[in-house]
Amino acid sequence: MYFNIGNMIEGDINCKKWQKIQNSNVELLCFYLLMNEALEQFEWGGDIPETCDMRFFELGLLTRGIHCFYDDKNMGMISPMCGIGGMLNMYMYPTNLFITTYGTTSDALKLNGKMISCYAPGSPVESSEGVMCRDNDMYIPYILYIFQYAHALADCLSSIMTAAKLLKLPWILKCPEPLKTTVKNLLNSIDDNDVAIIASMDNLQLEKVEIFNTNANPEILKSLWNHFDKTFNQFKALMGIQNQQQIDKEERLLVGELQAGNESTCIMADMRLRCRKMFCEDVKKVFGININVKLRHKHTQKVEGGENDVISGGTNDTE
């Protein structure tokens, strides 16, 4: 998804290749946007060891669905990425983990692939070398959702840019071949927000240029932005992130319907927070370290009114 900016500067890139690069770049930017939203959700505190990086910890939970604390003899308490290995106990908790590192230092290389014993409910604390944290009850790596929604948002943004360009140049021109370059330069000037100037009228024969209106509808742009907002809010609700549900002026919702959407967001946030709090309890039980976690931002949206009251155009109206 990365590209060589030098080719663009030198003008050695054709329109089709540039469009492909631009679409990939839009999707990459949407991916980073959603990743930053997700990484900002939880705040860790307490006696976190200096050798543990909680940003990296959250990154591991997003990309793998699990992460761990491990007390290494040489490096002390660390928070490396991990994978499930070995046996499962009767409650389907893993009793072993294998460490995964992407570092190139000698200590990191020695750890890569190492199998450690993992604390699980019902197992003895004394024999545990590490403690595993789940991002959610089903161990799902939420980066799968991020990939999906990044693609959906990028597709929507590309459609918005296309619709905006159609509104800027709402016609198709037909002209003789000798006039093609002149007409194209005029259109490019308009597209670049420049004044379209014809240097000479000699033999231009502009009367031979035919104009066909595309009837571009400005309402399409509004609908696409609404679709983008709703898709973005769907992603936030899935992650358990507070979101502002979009209500069009023409749309009327019952307070009960809006509260039901908020409840779904709260359920997802509470589930992911509960998994992290269980990890904090296990870390204290195994290593005697007091850490805590909380939501960085409130995830509830209070809606005034009764369940059958009506919300219209973003305001609460009681009928």
Side-chain angles (χ1 to χ4, degrees):
M1 301 181 78
Y2 294 97
F3 56 89
N4 186 351
I5 192 72
N7 288 338
M8 297 193 308
I9 294 175
E10 294 171 7
D12 295 335
I13 190 166
N14 58 48
C15 291
K16 289 184 178 180
K17 188 175 181 182
W18 163 241
Q19 189 62 49
K20 185 176 180 181
I21 289 172
Q22 188 179 37
N23 290 339
S24 298
N25 193 35
V26 170
E27 185 163 344
L28 184 62
L29 291 174
C30 287
F31 172 79
Y32 286 147
L33 169 67
L34 300 187
M35 283 293 291
N36 283 327
E37 284 270 350
L39 288 171
E40 184 68 11
Q41 190 172 2
F42 297 98
E43 182 177 349
W44 294 83
D47 301 326
I48 299 173
E50 293 183 359
T51 49
C52 295
D53 185 340
M54 301 314 291
R55 182 205 65 85
F56 185 72
F57 190 91
E58 283 292 335
L59 184 63
L61 290 175
L62 280 176
T63 56
R64 290 173 171 260
I66 61 174
H67 209 88
C68 75
F69 269 20
Y70 166 55
D71 191 8
D72 183 68
K73 294 179 180 179
N74 298 322
M75 302 178 67
M77 188 66 64
I78 56 175
S79 55
M81 287 187 177
C82 62
I84 295 175
M87 306 292 290
L88 301 176
N89 68 6
M90 61 181 295
Y91 301 115
M92 303 296 289
Y93 286 100
T95 58
N96 294 95
L97 300 173
F98 63 86
I99 304 300
T100 303
T101 62
Y102 297 99
T104 56
T105 62
S106 58
D107 289 334
L109 292 173
K110 289 177 182 178
L111 280 175
N112 193 38
K114 182 178 181 179
M115 189 76 70
I116 64 171
S117 60
C118 173
Y119 173 76
S123 63
V125 173
E126 296 77 15
S127 61
S128 302
E129 298 176 280
V131 176
M132 184 191 73
C133 179
R134 306 190 308 273
D135 180 68
N136 54 82
D137 285 337
M138 297 303 294
Y139 303 81
I140 299 172
Y142 269 37
I143 195 171
L144 298 176
Y145 295 119
I146 292 176
F147 279 135
Q148 187 69 29
Y149 276 90
H151 178 75
L153 290 176
D155 185 58
C156 189
L157 280 178
S158 296
S159 299
I160 288 171
M161 289 187 287
T162 301
K165 189 176 287 289
L166 287 175
L167 289 173
K168 200 172 187 180
L169 301 171
W171 1 263
I172 298 174
L173 302 183
K174 178 183 177 182
C175 67
E177 185 65 29
L179 291 177
K180 181 179 178 181
T181 300
T182 301
V183 172
K184 187 175 181 180
N185 289 336
L186 287 173
L187 294 179
N188 287 337
S189 296
I190 297 174
D191 191 36
D192 294 336
N193 300 317
D194 197 1
V195 179
I197 300 175
I198 300 175
S200 173
M201 295 294 294
D202 297 340
N203 300 321
L204 279 181
Q205 299 178 322
L206 291 179
E207 67 276 1
K208 293 185 178 181
V209 178
E210 297 182 54
I211 302 176
F212 301 92
N213 199 324
T214 60
N215 297 317
N217 187 356
E219 288 298 315
I220 294 178
L221 200 58
K222 178 182 176 182
S223 298
L224 286 172
W225 273 117
N226 287 339
H227 176 64
F228 178 90
D229 290 337
K230 289 179 179 179
T231 302
F232 196 15
N233 283 326
Q234 285 175 359
F235 166 78
K236 288 184 176 181
L238 178 68
M239 300 293 291
I241 301 174
Q242 180 184 11
N243 65 90
Q244 180 62 47
Q245 298 192 41
Q246 301 296 314
I247 305 174
D248 296 333
K249 291 183 178 179
E250 303 83 3
E251 188 177 2
R252 299 169 68 82
L253 293 178
L254 295 177
V255 169
E257 294 174 333
L258 189 58
Q259 288 174 335
N262 291 337
E263 183 179 8
S264 176
T265 303
C266 293
I267 288 174
M268 299 303 295
D270 290 341
M271 176 194 64
R272 300 180 69 210
L273 180 61
R274 174 173 47 80
C275 289
R276 286 161 173 78
K277 286 186 174 181
M278 289 175 60
F279 168 74
C280 293
E281 294 173 1
D282 292 342
V283 166
K284 183 176 181 180
K285 190 180 299 182
V286 176
F287 301 122
I289 301 175
N290 290 305
I291 61 174
N292 57 70
V293 63
K294 64 180 181 179
L295 288 167
R296 197 180 297 271
H297 306 285
K298 293 181 180 179
H299 62 274
T300 57
Q301 180 182 349
K302 186 177 181 180
V303 182
E304 301 292 343
E307 184 175 346
N308 294 320
D309 290 347
V310 175
I311 298 175
S312 176
T315 60
N316 292 357
D317 299 326
T318 304
E319 294 184 342

